Amino acid sequence: MSLFITFEGPDGSGKTTQIELLAERLRDQGHEVLITREPGGTFIGDQIRAVVHDVKNVEMTRETEFLLYSASRAQLVRQVIRPHLERGGTVLCDRFADSSMAYQGYGRELDLDMVRCITQFATGGLCPALTVYLDLPVEVGLQRKESAHAAQAGEWNRLDQQTLDFHQRVRQGYLRMAEADTDRWLAVDAAQSIPDTQAAIRARLERLLSERAK
Ligand code: TYD
């Protein structure tokens, strides 16, 4: 049974840790788990990632930025995600289409219907069965990212240097999307401990798996 789960939320919200922990659980249950991320996840996507995140690219328009993320996504879906799902595997993706809705749609204030439409084209309509949103207050997320960067453990990208207002809009966008579709979304308070966050995700996953088994 194939399964596609995506993770959203700011850097510092612990997406990577939660993905690894969930992958462990799923592998124990016999799932063939593949972990990937956006932007990137393919040779072509990694090149796009370098361009779109380069802090030197100050002239990049929001339209260009959105199309670059979409191009990376189109490649990842066809080269990596879809083939794995077609083999019956499980894909855990660190960011997916909802990042474009949140950052380019709500954050950059591009027309939401346009973002939806181009995203539909890029993904070929592929939609996650579950999207986990790790929610954190904006200041906390940025602080965590800044300290990781200072410790050389993290990448500081063009999006991180946007205003607090921008990041607030992104967060509000995520919260709105999560509220509007609770069938697909699980919003978790990422300020809780790592085990508590993981427990909330696992509980929801169990529910999803048992519903599917019916
Ligand atoms: P990354 O270094 O992968 O960090 P994170 O841990 O936050 O995922 O940076 C990804 C950045 O790209 C992040 O700032 C959000 C941004 N982004 C978009 O703006 N739109 C998108 O569609 C995607 C996939 C990412």
Side-chain angles (χ1 to χ4, degrees), residues 1-3 31 205-214:
M1 182 179 55
S2 68
L3 187 59
H31 295 259
L205 175 74
E206 296 309 328
R207 214 176 81 202
L208 175 72
L209 292 175
S210 66
E211 277 164 12
R212 284 180 147 212
K214 277 181 198 155

Side-chain angles (χ1 to χ4, degrees), residues 5-9 15 18-19 22 92-95 132 201:
I5 303 177
T6 59
F7 291 76
E8 300 284 346
K15 289 196 300 296
Q18 296 299 334
I19 290 172
L22 194 68
L92 305 184
C93 197
D94 185 343
R95 298 193 179 281
V132 176
I201 300 171

Side-chain angles (χ1 to χ4, degrees), residues 11 38 49 53 69 73 95 100 103-104 155 157 159:
D11 196 76
E38 276 207 10
R49 178 186 177 92
H53 284 179
Y69 283 120
R73 182 165 303 135
R95 298 193 179 281
S100 278
Y103 287 81
Q104 281 66 55
E155 171 198 9
N157 67 53
L159 279 294

